[in-house]
Amino acid sequence: MLARFTTQGHTEVRALNGLTVNIPARQFVAVMGASGSGKSTLLYIVAGLARPSSGEIQLFDQAIHTMSDDQLTQLRRTRIGLIFQSFNLLPTLSALENVALPLLINGARLSAARAKAKTLLALVGLSDRLAHRPDELSGGQQQRVAIARALINEAPLLLADEPTGNLDSHTGEEILQLLHALVADQQRTIVMVTHDLRAAGYADQVIELKDGQVVTG
Amino acid sequence: MRATLTLFLLTSLRHSARHKLRTLLTLLGIVAGVATFIFAPTLAASIARSVQESGEDLAGRADLEIRGPTEGFHPRALSIARTVPGVAVAVAAPLVQAVGVLPDRSEPLVVMGIDPKFDQAIRAYNLAQGRFLNRLGEVLLGQSYAAERGLHLNQRITVIAPTGSFDFKIVGLLAGSGVARLNNGDVLVMLYKDAQTLRGNINLATIALTLQPAQDPNAVIAQLRAALPASLTVDLAQAKRGALSDIQTMLNFVMGFASFMILSVGSTLVYNTMAVAVAQRRAEIGVLRALGVTQRRVRQMFVIEAGFFGLLGSLVGMLCGYALVQSAGQSLNLSVMFKAAPHGKIIAEVPAWLPCVALLAGVGLPMLAGYLPAPTWRPSSPSASPRLNRPPAILICARWMWRPFARKADVSSGTKATNKPPTRA
């Protein structure tokens, strides 16, 4: 039973309110809900970027709600890939460097990280954009770079926060197909937060939230 | 550590290279702060020392001093003073006035009119070359002044004064301490009568006296007051030095306070420029934290970056500080700042400990500024989650400043402010 309460001003915000969710491995799970339903909060708690006010989270057979900040960071570095709505690429780095960054953070050699980043950029169809910086790429291309970055550490769990939210419908379709292929071909687990019904159509399971509680799923 | 250095090279340096103006301003802040660290205390100490040395050079070893009205007083007072019991030496104190010397009239010399028979008992004259004054028409010249202008011993020079042009022969060159140090060596010493001719009257300005051993100064003062005209005042020369000392104490206090304020501003400048530079990369820190960079590594990265720019800025700042000190030493003149003091250029020397303190401040403060704020920006909640498309800081400030006015507008229009729960996707 997960709960997260925060206060903003004098108002208590119950982002998650007694919620129990089971996410099976190697599945594409969509979390849906209206604005303020708590879906992003759930995603950030799973990623270890936020802590629940009460409740337990079991991830990879570990109780991550008891982990220290450093342990959560280590978990994110090795086992979780994050994809954001606004891409969150570092603007000063090229596409290749952005993708290689998680490996470099992990202490890998630059040459090895670059080689793997090249392979992944080829996988997402950006072999010809290696040296381009984010501001020289379209929204769809930036999201592909972000996906490649999330894949480089071979994380079994990908968490995507509205990955198609800033993209046009055609590019959004391409990104969703790419994510779906990752589950089918590479046996990854993807949890995707979205309020787009069409996006949720690509998922194996849909969890719908309302006022911090599970409605369906 | 390799990962931290890679992050520093890949993100910090790249960020700095991309935001050239921001980097330049950060460096300028450190340069200005460190230059201030070097310049302000050096200037304060140099001015204080210069005032003290000038006072000592001019006052010499005199015990008492006779002063008169602004227009001076008759030389007969000197003869009277010499007859008073207990007085060992009485000399007309130097008649100080500025004149030019041909062919270079641009920089005025300080002329001292002295009595060669008695004056050496009171003031120090160190002759580097030649001999002391014997007769009218002879002068002693500061050695440095002579060297700068190619003047040499036994050469004749033309002195330009308010009363006309006069030829003199250089019979000695003064160097070292004492009178040669006055006005940074730009000094011309001649017989009192020659100086009176240059001045256009025979009046004396002051008389300096030394006492015989074991004499009570107050008793001699009383006798002098009784013997001299009432328009003349007799005081301890120490009183004059005391007044100079008071002025010096005040000057020390003012300069010390000014230095403290400037150093405080410099320190704040150094700290703030780095703290702002770190704050502007909050979004980047958020992304790095989300990708698995620990707080400790974020700290390390910013500390290395701050140390790098701190060292770079400090080295440039120290060079600028030394340049400012040299420039001040060459261009500042005490007469501009302190009219009661005799002429004397400031000899600016940076104390050995100051560059170390400046380097410590220039590197340490930015490192502190990099160390302190970095770990507080962790993406610990969705609201603090990393987003790069946040509005610019200036817009956030403007909104924050507008808030009270917006509330007033709501009240005056009858709109009741509601405390809606925030919406979040």
Side-chain angles (χ1 to χ4, degrees):
Chain A
M1 294 280 279
L2 266 183
R4 179 172 166 85
F5 309 140
T6 56
T7 52
Q8 296 201 350
H10 298 292
T11 311
E12 185 183 69
V13 180
R14 298 187 168 216
L16 298 179
N17 192 6
L19 164 148
T20 303
V21 176
N22 183 31
I23 297 168
R26 294 178 289 281
Q27 290 236 331
F28 191 165
V29 177
V31 180
M32 290 198 70
S35 285
S37 61
K39 53 189 189 299
S40 286
T41 305
L42 175 65
L43 194 81
Y44 284 115
I45 285 178
V46 173
L49 293 171
R51 287 183 183 276
S53 305
S54 64
E56 296 178 3
I57 317 161
Q58 294 288 332
L59 192 65
F60 309 118
D61 298 324
Q62 296 176 80
I64 69 165
H65 59 281
T66 60
M67 285 183 174
S68 67
D69 188 67
D70 276 0
Q71 287 172 316
L72 286 172
T73 307
Q74 166 80 7
L75 186 77
R76 271 201 305 279
R77 192 161 66 218
T78 53
R79 308 196 72 175
I80 296 174
L82 283 164
I83 301 163
F84 299 95
Q85 179 182 350
S86 50
F87 324 127
N88 284 353
L89 300 174
L90 294 189
T92 51
L93 304 188
S94 67
L96 187 73
E97 289 162 340
N98 262 296
V99 175
L101 190 59
L103 271 189
L104 296 172
I105 290 170
N106 230 350
R109 290 192 172 278
L110 187 62
S111 54
R114 286 170 69 94
K116 192 163 184 186
K118 261 185 200 173
T119 311
L120 283 168
L121 281 169
L123 179 76
V124 296
L126 290 176
S127 302
D128 55 342
R129 295 283 187 272
L130 302 182
H132 287 62
R133 284 205 301 260
D135 57 3
E136 297 165 337
L137 299 170
S138 68
Q141 287 170 333
Q142 286 187 57
Q143 195 59 294
R144 284 168 187 271
V145 173
I147 291 169
R149 183 178 67 181
L151 293 174
I152 197 161
N153 272 341
E154 297 175 4
L157 175 63
L158 299 184
L159 302 174
D161 184 11
E162 306 256 17
T164 58
N166 276 351
L167 305 177
D168 61 71
S169 57
H170 176 70
T171 314
E173 291 278 339
E174 287 179 0
I175 294 296
L176 289 166
Q177 284 168 7
L178 182 62
L179 291 176
H180 190 262
L182 289 173
V183 178
D185 303 340
Q186 299 187 11
Q187 305 294 299
R188 313 258 186 162
T189 305
I190 296 181
V191 179
M192 176 181 70
V193 162
T194 183
H195 58 256
D196 181 0
L197 270 175
R198 196 178 44 182
Y202 282 84
D204 303 318
Q205 182 188 345
V206 177
I207 297 168
E208 191 175 353
L209 299 185
K210 188 180 179 187
D211 299 331
Q213 292 180 316
V214 178
V215 180
T216 58
Chain B
M1 198 61 190
R2 186 171 69 188
T4 310
L5 283 174
T6 308
L7 276 176
F8 165 67
L9 293 172
L10 207 57
T11 60
S12 300
L13 286 188
R14 199 71 68 81
H15 182 94
S16 305
R18 185 164 184 191
H19 299 94
K20 290 184 181 67
L21 183 62
R22 193 184 295 171
T23 307
L24 186 68
L25 289 174
T26 305
L27 274 173
L28 279 179
I30 297 169
V31 167
V34 172
T36 306
F37 262 80
I38 298 282
F39 178 64
T42 303
L43 186 69
S46 302
I47 288 175
R49 195 180 61 228
S50 187
V51 169
Q52 185 183 358
E53 287 175 355
S54 294
E56 285 171 5
D57 292 340
L58 196 61
R61 292 184 289 274
D63 297 313
L64 302 180
E65 191 175 71
I66 300 171
R67 287 180 164 273
T70 316
E71 66 272 17
F73 53 91
H74 197 274
R76 192 170 51 243
L78 185 61
S79 310
I80 296 170
R82 283 174 178 159
T83 61
V84 171
V87 173
V89 178
V91 295
L95 180 73
V96 179
Q97 61 185 65
V99 293
V101 173
L102 285 177
D104 181 10
R105 297 176 62 176
S106 58
E107 189 163 359
L109 274 169
V110 165
V111 173
M112 289 176 62
I114 65 163
D115 182 341
K117 189 176 172 188
F118 299 108
D119 208 87
Q120 290 181 88
I122 291 185
R123 273 171 285 274
Y125 294 87
N126 296 320
L127 279 167
Q129 288 179 48
R131 58 171 173 81
F132 207 67
L133 301 171
N134 282 340
R135 60 180 72 92
L136 290 170
E138 293 178 346
V139 290
L140 304 175
L141 190 61
Q143 192 182 32
S144 57
Y145 184 90
E148 279 172 22
R149 283 154 185 81
L151 301 175
H152 51 79
L153 211 59
N154 299 321
Q155 184 176 343
R156 297 198 74 80
I157 54 171
T158 303
V159 175
I160 312 297
T163 50
S165 303
F166 302 90
D167 281 350
F168 290 95
K169 182 184 177 188
I170 303 170
V171 295
L173 296 177
L174 295 168
S177 59
V179 172
R181 205 162 50 179
L182 281 174
N183 198 33
N184 204 27
D186 297 353
V187 62
L188 190 69
V189 181
M190 60 181 64
L191 295 184
Y192 208 96
K193 281 191 176 172
D194 279 338
Q196 285 174 324
T197 308
L198 256 65
R199 191 179 176 184
N201 66 54
I202 60 165
N203 281 355
L204 305 180
T206 59
I207 298 171
L209 304 104
T210 57
L211 301 181
Q212 289 168 356
Q215 286 293 325
D216 177 11
N218 290 323
V220 178
I221 287 173
Q223 291 182 65
L224 281 167
R225 281 178 182 161
L228 292 168
S231 59
L232 303 184
T233 59
V234 186
D235 286 308
L236 287 168
Q238 283 170 345
K240 181 189 168 194
R241 275 180 243 161
L244 197 62
S245 173
D246 289 345
I247 293 166
Q248 194 184 330
T249 305
M250 191 185 72
L251 191 68
N252 278 343
F253 175 76
V254 170
M255 290 306 291
F257 182 73
S259 296
F260 174 76
M261 293 303 289
I262 291 169
L263 292 185
S264 301
V265 171
S267 302
T268 310
L269 198 67
V270 169
Y271 181 91
N272 200 45
T273 45
M274 200 64 216
V276 168
V278 175
Q280 285 169 335
R281 289 165 62 192
R282 190 174 173 156
E284 184 184 319
I285 296 171
V287 173
L288 292 174
R289 294 283 287 118
L291 292 178
V293 179
T294 57
Q295 283 182 34
R296 192 166 54 89
R297 197 165 284 174
V298 169
R299 257 185 178 158
Q300 282 174 352
M301 188 181 89
F302 276 98
V303 167
I304 290 173
E305 181 180 336
F308 175 76
F309 285 112
L311 186 64
L312 196 65
S314 296
L315 292 176
V316 178
M318 284 202 288
L319 288 177
C320 290
Y322 272 92
L324 279 171
V325 165
Q326 289 303 318
S327 166
Q330 285 170 7
S331 59
L332 283 181
N333 192 301
L334 268 185
S335 62
V336 176
M337 310 176 72
F338 185 48
K339 287 182 178 172
H343 290 31
K345 284 187 177 173
I346 297 162
I347 302 162
E349 287 171 1
V350 180
W353 56 268
L354 199 55
C356 303
V357 174
L359 190 66
L360 203 66
V363 178
L365 285 173
M367 284 175 88
L368 193 69
Y371 178 83
L372 289 179
T376 60
W377 298 331
R378 53 186 180 218
S380 57
S381 71
S383 58
S385 65
R387 291 193 186 281
L388 289 176
N389 55 349
R390 67 176 66 241
I394 192 164
L395 199 61
I396 295 170
C397 287
R399 281 182 193 160
W400 184 80
M401 289 169 73
W402 179 247
R403 274 172 60 191
F405 302 103
R407 274 194 201 135
K408 274 185 190 169
D410 283 349
V411 171
S412 59
S413 64
T415 313
K416 190 178 175 183
T418 54
N419 209 354
K420 287 182 188 170
T423 55
R424 190 163 56 234

